[in-house]
Each structure stands twice: as C-alpha cells, then as structure tokens.
Amino acid sequence: MENFLFSINATLPIFLLMILGYIFKLLGLLKSEFVSGLNKFVFKIALPVLLFNDLYKQDFESAWDGRFVLFCLITTVISITLITGISFLVIHDNGHRGEFIQGSYRSSAALLGLAFIQNIYGNGSSSMGAMMILGSVPIYNIFAVTVLTLTAQDNDTSSETSSFNMELVLKTLKGIVTNPIILGIFIGLLWSVIKIPMPVICSSVVEDIGSLATPLGLMAMGASFDIKKATKEIAPSLLASFIKLFALAAIFLPISVLFGFRNEQLIALLVMYGSATTVSCFIMAKNMGHDGILSSSIIMMTTFGCAFSLTFWLFILKSLQLI
C-alpha cells in the first residue's frame, strides 16, 4: 500500500495538470497562439535547463559505474530497435510511426528516476539514478530527433526520395547537434565533470526556470489535446502504453537480475523500462513537424497506468527479495 500511495502521489498530479490544461482551453484561458509559444518555450528553454539542473550537481567521477551505464545504453538501443520493428508491422502512417516509436521507449527517467530511488533508499542513493540517466537519456533524445526528423510530415516519403537522401541525413545530424534537450544534457555533464562552481544566485535562477518545464509542458499538452483525433489513435496508443509499462520491463528486468544488478540499480532500471512516457515526447513532436496527438494520448495513458504498473513491478521485485 505504501508503494501504491507513493506511485499515486508521483503520477496523479502529472495527470491532473494535463486535465487542467484541457479545461483552461475550454474556458478560453489558453489560446492556440499562447499554447504554441508555450510549447516552444518549454522545448527550447525550460526542459533543457531542467536536465542541466539534474546533471550538473551529480558527482559522476566518484559514483561512476561503467558496467551499469553500458548496460543501460545497450538495452536502450535494443528496446528502440525492437519497437521500430514493431512499428513497421502495426503503424502505416509515417508521421504516426515516429510518435509511436518514441512514445513506446522514452521514460520519465529524469523526473521520476531520482525520486523513486530516494524514496526507497534515501537521499544519499541517487548515484544509480544519475548513472541510468547518463546511459539512457542521451540515447533517448538522439534516437527521438532522428526518428521524428525522418517521419516529419513535411518530409517527402514517396518512392522518388526513398533512396539515400544526403539532404535528409544532414538535416537529421543538424537536428541532433542543435537539439536543445541534447545540449542541456551535454552541458550539464560537462559542467559536472569539470566541476565548475555555480554561484548561489545562478543556481536559484536555474532551479526556478527548470521547475517551469513540467507544469507548463503538461498544461500545454492538455490544451493541445484533441479528443476526436485521439479516439482514432486508440489502438496504437494502447499498444505503445502496454510496451512502455509492461513489455520492456518483462523482457529486460530478468536480464538485469541475471547480470547481477540489485537494489537501487534495479529501481533505476525499472524506471527506465517501465515508467510513464515523458512529456518531452509531446514537446519534441510538436516542435518537429508532428501533430502530437498520438504522443499526448500515450503520455496520458502511461501516466494514468504508471502508478499501478510500477507498484506491480515493485511488489514482484520485493517478493523475490531483489530490492
């Protein structure tokens, strides 16, 4: 019951913020132009600052676990590859395929990972969460930029351009290098490694800006949600949500145990495999030529189901005395 209440307290506010965004739109408080600007602000400023703030404080040098980071990286790549293969079997619309792929693998690693580990093992046990973020989040975003660029609605996917397209390759590489979220991660890691001192005033400003990312992003997503369009995407949304909350964890948690990972390592991996889809999926989709409807549907479903699925996995891991 304690784990269930924690999961509810961690995920229900996220879900309610989306609902509030939708209600504010119906009341006329959030206009389309304002919501569009809000999405751009969260994507280009608030979310990169949030990730920078999560990473620059970490002492990666003293807490470094190369084996764990490599495991996170490899299993992330494998899961993305599997989901991409599935998408070609079940998703026929190219634009929706990009949203399906990233919505099925991108977890709320930075938002929920550290909170879950600290709740169970205390504030001094965040190093494994940081290692998990380092091994997964950069890959999350590199693949997301790639797949969203290749499946953007303004890209011609006809047979005339099905051959090797250097312009599209360069566009994808530029998208990776200039992506604000990737830049926020890179700068945060570099700041941590070099150990640059952060003035108190600057630290306060960084925290304040970063704290805007989640509430503003969630309300903007709720305000952009279209129920009529979402109902047409119910099948891929349900499939992506099942993959995100249950399938990946069912595949990779036993493998993690076989590799000897226990306690906070397993909790970090559980968050990576089985937590709700991150709100940045919607933010990136909207800012990279997609309508974002499928992304918002997946985020809503996984956020609502996350409290139950994480509690289920925690119960299994505790019953087997692995955490």
Side-chain angles (χ1 to χ4, degrees):
M1 180 58 68
E2 182 181 348
N3 289 330
F4 177 72
L5 290 176
F6 173 74
S7 300
I8 287 289
N9 289 330
T11 57
L12 190 58
I14 296 174
F15 188 77
L16 291 178
L17 280 171
M18 299 181 211
I19 300 299
L20 281 176
Y22 184 76
I23 293 173
F24 291 157
K25 181 190 71 172
L26 294 179
L27 294 175
L29 297 175
L30 293 179
K31 304 293 185 180
S32 297
E33 297 80 5
F34 178 74
V35 173
S36 177
L38 204 58
N39 276 319
K40 291 180 180 178
F41 170 76
V42 173
F43 177 66
K44 295 182 178 181
I45 303 296
L47 198 53
V49 171
L50 173 65
L51 290 168
F52 167 80
N53 188 55
D54 281 340
L55 294 174
Y56 91 90
K57 302 174 183 178
Q58 301 295 330
D59 187 358
F60 289 104
E61 185 177 350
S62 63
W64 180 253
D65 186 339
R67 180 171 174 268
F68 183 72
V69 172
L70 184 62
F71 184 84
C72 292
L73 190 152
I74 292 173
T75 55
T76 297
V77 172
I78 293 173
S79 64
I80 294 171
T81 303
L82 292 173
I83 291 166
T84 301
I86 293 171
S87 73
F88 279 95
L89 297 176
V90 299
I91 307 295
H92 303 294
D93 181 273
N94 195 48
H96 289 168
R97 182 178 296 121
E99 293 192 53
F100 175 87
I101 293 171
Q102 73 148 352
S104 299
Y105 76 78
R106 291 186 69 186
S107 298
S108 300
L111 295 177
L112 288 179
L114 298 180
F116 261 81
I117 295 173
Q118 290 173 4
N119 180 73
I120 297 173
Y121 294 103
N123 292 329
S125 304
S126 62
S127 60
M128 285 303 105
M131 293 297 104
M132 179 268 291
I133 291 172
L134 182 59
S136 62
V137 173
I139 302 298
Y140 282 170
N141 287 279
I142 290 172
F143 272 92
V145 171
T146 302
V147 73
L148 290 175
T149 300
L150 294 175
T151 60
Q153 294 172 353
D154 58 353
N155 283 333
D156 183 3
T157 56
S158 65
S159 59
E160 295 179 2
T161 58
S162 60
S163 59
F164 182 78
N165 189 326
M166 179 57 72
E167 183 180 352
L168 188 56
V169 171
L170 293 176
K171 181 181 178 181
T172 303
L173 292 175
K174 180 182 178 182
I176 293 173
V177 173
T178 60
N179 181 267
I181 297 175
I182 295 176
L183 289 175
I185 294 170
F186 175 76
I187 296 172
L189 291 173
L190 188 64
W191 200 288
S192 173
V193 172
I194 299 177
K195 299 185 186 303
I196 303 174
M198 175 70 76
V200 175
I201 295 177
C202 294
S203 176
S204 178
V205 172
V206 167
E207 288 191 13
D208 288 342
I209 294 176
S211 66
L212 296 174
T214 300
L216 292 184
L218 290 169
M219 284 193 288
M221 185 178 67
S224 304
F225 192 67
D226 188 322
I227 292 179
K228 292 182 179 179
K229 290 183 179 179
T231 53
K232 297 179 181 178
E233 305 298 331
I234 189 70
S237 299
L238 286 171
L239 177 58
S241 299
F242 174 76
I243 292 172
K244 186 72 213 65
L245 297 181
F246 293 101
L248 293 179
I251 293 170
F252 291 110
L253 282 180
I255 297 174
S256 304
V257 172
L258 290 176
F259 272 79
F261 296 120
R262 298 290 187 274
N263 301 319
E264 61 262 39
Q265 293 174 324
L266 274 182
I267 297 299
L269 290 169
L270 170 60
V271 171
M272 190 177 87
Y273 302 134
S275 67
T277 299
T278 177
V279 66
S280 60
C281 282
F282 170 80
I283 303 298
M284 286 184 67
K286 286 291 289 183
N287 283 272
M288 295 184 67
H290 297 258
D291 60 26
I293 298 299
L294 181 55
S295 295
S296 59
S297 298
I298 296 170
I299 292 168
M300 284 192 171
M301 287 185 183
T302 56
T303 299
F304 181 76
C306 180
F308 301 94
S309 63
L310 284 178
T311 304
F312 168 77
W313 290 118
L314 286 173
F315 175 77
I316 296 295
L317 293 177
K318 279 194 171 183
S319 297
L320 297 174
Q321 298 182 338
L322 296 171
I323 61 174

